[in-house]
């Protein structure tokens, strides 16, 4: 499901911006990294959620059932929330389908000259 894959990608993107991996960040050097006191860690929770595929089937069924999916993680100073929800789109009938249904369609043209 595209929406779930997108949400997982966004979770990883946000986690990487909040807490970049020193090994992959050329501008961040090991001596600059300081330990952080224990507590809520949003980037770690986002990465864990995005890479945990055990709940993938449950999430897909939840979304396909017409329900929104929310992911909320806390940090010491704020809460991050990601969500996707299904949107039902009505499809416009083609002129051929409209004629089969007995409807009439009329073309509108711009006659200003």
């Amino acid at each position: 499901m595209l929406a779930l894959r997108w949400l997982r990608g966004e979770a990883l993107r946000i986690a990487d911006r909040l807490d970049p991996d020193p090994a992959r960040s050329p501008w961040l050097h090991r001596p600059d990294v300081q330990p952080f006191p224990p507590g809520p860690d949003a980037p770690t929770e986002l990465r864990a959620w995005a890479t945990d595929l055990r709940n993938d089937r449950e999430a897909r069924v939840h979304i396909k059932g017409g329900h929104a999916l929310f992911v909320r993680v806390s940090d010491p100073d704020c809460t991050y929330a990601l969500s996707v929800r299904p949107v039902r789109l009505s499809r416009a009938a083609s002129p051929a389908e409209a004629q089969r249904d007995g409807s009439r369609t009329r073309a509108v043209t711009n006659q200003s000259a």
Side-chain angles (χ1 to χ4, degrees), residues 1 57-67 86 88:
M1 170 174 295
R57 179 175 163 74
E58 183 179 325
R60 288 173 189 263
V61 169
H62 186 76
I63 295 169
K64 285 182 180 180
H67 307 285
R88 303 278 185 237

Side-chain angles (χ1 to χ4, degrees), residues 6 9 17 19 21-23 27 31 35 40 46 56 65-66 70-72 75 77 83 85 90 100 103 106 110 113:
W6 174 83
R17 266 60 173 191
D19 184 19
D21 180 1
W27 53 270
L46 286 168
D56 190 62
F70 297 95
V71 178
R72 289 185 187 97
D75 229 14
D77 57 349
S83 66
R85 65 182 176 92
S90 61
R100 279 196 303 264
S103 305
R106 181 176 67 145
N110 186 358

Side-chain angles (χ1 to χ4, degrees), residues 39-98:
D41 185 7
T44 299
E45 289 182 42
L46 286 168
R47 285 186 187 100
W49 178 82
T51 57
D52 180 13
L53 299 179
R54 291 176 293 162
N55 296 322
D56 190 62
R57 179 175 163 74
E58 183 179 325
R60 288 173 189 263
V61 169
H62 186 76
I63 295 169
K64 285 182 180 180
H67 307 285
L69 178 69
F70 297 95
V71 178
R72 289 185 187 97
V73 296
S74 295
D75 229 14
D77 57 349
C78 65
T79 298
Y80 298 91
L82 301 169
S83 66
V84 293
R85 65 182 176 92
V87 177
R88 303 278 185 237
L89 299 177
S90 61
R91 177 175 72 86
S94 70
E97 290 172 327

